[in-house]
Amino acid sequence: MIFNDDQHFLAETLRSFARQRLKPNYLNRPPGRPDQALLDDLANLGVLGLLVPEEHGGSGATFVDAGIAGEELARGDFNVSTFVQLAAIAATGLRTWATPMVAATYLPKIADGSCVPAIALTEPDAGSDAGAISTAARETDGGWLINGEKSSVTFAGFADASIVLVRTGGPGAAGISAFWVPLDTAGVTRSVYAGVGGEIIARGSIVFDDVFVPGDHLLGEVDAGFAQAMTAFDFNRAVIALSCIGAGLESLDETVDYANTRHTFGKPLSSRQAITQQVAEHYAKLQAARSVSYDTLMLADQSAKHTTEAAMSKWMGPAWSADAIHTALRLHGWSGYGSDHHFDQRLRDVIGLEIGDGTAEIMKAIIARDLFGVPTHR
């Protein structure tokens, strides 16, 4: 991927911020909503408003720019890159499908960090089979009433509003609509899950009990929400991959520095092919996955089909990054296994994205469907 001058500046600025401001706090950032100072920093850097139109306080940037932000911020704190992902999805949904009033109300708040958005699709009995969701909305005077439970929602514990996918029609994907739901609305309750990693993203469930949503909070057309969600997931799968790759490349950079300075039997570790070839292999794989991810985002910027490329990114990025981080941990010996480094936290966080937004098995099914030209069983 060849960046233009503005993109090079964005990458350099965010890498400096990530290493100087985010990385020192990665291991001790408290669970839950970050302090407003961090959100203000992200807003001032422009990363929350990258995909918010300029007339609504954003920069109207590209999907490639969002990928750069995800990659570079993840070098300092993998979980902070999640705020870029959710802001990008929400901004894309609102700018494309929201009514002018809803867009004008919420897009500036996403850009300035005063509204942290979530995306609520998964349910306890509908994960990979997203078309099987049962949370439903029925029409009432002036709007809709939503009932049901969403699970594994990133930022469930503290998000201010969410795109919520619900059933408004018949079975399957064709009967699903999308709504913009402020989460301070009566009838909304939340719970946060314990997990292996990603504590600050407050992954959890959101329960809707006769939650009233005004009619103008419908995004797009009735029963068209599933296609909208899949459009957003395609570009975001590449951003997720780049966030994982950023964490993996940072781990390899640290391992190169360590191998150059650590001596055993009178020689630096970097003099031993058994060490250097492992790092070289992981570096090559991450660069390959990085190229596919940026190609995916370039296609998205051109409004070209990129579903298969997104699936490739989402499969390779998290899986190969987890392998690279694991190797970096191991090559650092006991110090890598301890709390002196970030490897254990990175590994636990990245593994979560081997599941979220589509498992490796689902991604391979999408690739196979395109290759063979026929539906494939998941």
Side-chain angles (χ1 to χ4, degrees):
M1 175 69 194
I2 299 175
F3 295 150
N4 61 35
D5 290 344
D6 289 341
Q7 290 168 334
H8 276 298
F9 179 76
L10 175 65
E12 291 168 0
T13 299
L14 295 183
R15 185 173 301 192
S16 176
F17 174 79
R19 286 177 169 170
Q20 295 177 22
R21 299 289 300 279
L22 297 182
K23 197 170 183 179
N25 296 313
Y26 181 34
L27 298 182
N28 56 20
R29 204 176 299 283
R33 188 184 185 109
D35 59 57
Q36 191 59 42
L38 175 57
L39 293 175
D40 290 343
D41 284 342
L42 296 176
N44 291 335
L45 286 166
V47 296
L48 299 180
L50 282 171
L51 298 184
V52 173
E54 291 183 32
E55 62 267 28
H56 292 305
S59 56
T62 66
F63 291 120
V64 168
D65 294 328
I68 292 170
E71 178 185 358
E72 296 302 337
L73 292 176
R75 284 178 171 268
D77 186 327
F78 178 81
N79 294 310
V80 170
S81 69
T82 308
F83 289 87
V84 175
Q85 297 168 27
L86 272 295
I89 295 176
T92 300
L94 291 178
R95 77 185 188 189
T96 307
W97 295 295
T99 62
M101 186 192 76
V102 170
T105 299
Y106 286 98
L107 284 171
K109 294 180 180 181
I110 291 173
D112 70 17
S114 61
C115 176
V116 175
I119 311 298
L121 171 60
T122 298
E123 297 180 3
D125 295 320
S128 295
D129 186 7
I133 65 172
S134 60
T135 297
R138 69 178 189 275
E139 275 194 277
T140 188
D141 291 342
W144 301 74
L145 289 175
I146 298 178
N147 285 279
E149 179 182 0
K150 293 297 181 179
S151 60
S152 294
V153 180
T154 299
F155 302 156
F158 58 79
D160 299 295
S162 179
I163 295 176
V164 183
L165 282 295
V166 300
R167 186 159 302 286
T168 50
I176 294 173
S177 299
F179 290 87
W180 179 253
V181 183
L183 294 178
D184 59 357
T185 304
V188 173
T189 57
R190 327 170 189 224
S191 61
V192 175
Y193 304 151
V196 173
E199 287 189 341
I200 79 162
I201 68 171
R203 185 179 64 90
S205 67
I206 305 176
V207 176
F208 301 87
D209 184 7
D210 272 349
V211 174
F212 177 75
V213 182
D216 66 356
H217 281 48
L218 172 70
L219 299 179
E221 301 295 325
V222 174
D223 295 344
F226 190 83
Q228 297 169 13
M230 293 304 103
T231 298
F233 284 163
D234 277 351
F235 87 78
N236 192 56
R237 282 170 175 161
V239 178
I240 286 172
L242 287 164
S243 295
C244 295
I245 290 164
L249 288 174
E250 187 73 4
S251 299
L252 295 182
D253 286 349
E254 292 166 354
T255 304
V256 169
D257 290 342
Y258 176 77
N260 280 331
T261 56
R262 171 71 169 176
H263 285 68
T264 60
F265 305 103
K267 293 183 178 181
L269 286 179
S270 58
S271 68
R272 307 183 188 283
Q273 285 189 343
I275 302 296
T276 59
Q277 289 190 359
Q278 291 183 67
V279 175
E281 178 181 343
H282 287 297
Y283 182 79
K285 291 172 74 173
L286 290 187
Q287 289 296 340
R290 183 174 182 267
S291 293
V292 173
S293 300
Y294 278 118
D295 284 349
T296 302
L297 295 176
M298 288 178 62
L299 290 171
D301 281 322
Q302 297 164 11
S303 299
K305 185 178 179 294
H306 56 283
T307 298
T308 300
E309 291 81 4
M312 294 176 185
S313 302
K314 179 58 176 57
W315 161 45
M316 294 185 296
W320 292 357
S321 296
D323 288 345
I325 296 165
H326 184 197
T327 295
L329 183 158
R330 186 170 48 77
L331 292 180
H332 275 73
W334 282 116
S335 67
Y337 188 71
S339 59
D340 295 336
H341 297 281
H342 298 82
F343 305 127
D344 63 329
Q345 184 69 52
R346 287 190 192 127
L347 187 58
R348 288 184 280 117
D349 290 341
V350 166
I351 285 172
L353 273 302
E354 292 189 88
I355 303 169
D357 280 57
T359 65
E361 291 75 18
I362 295 297
M363 297 303 101
K364 292 174 186 178
I366 292 171
I367 298 165
R369 181 183 64 199
D370 189 37
L371 285 174
F372 291 93
V374 295
T376 55
H377 293 293
R378 292 180 174 183

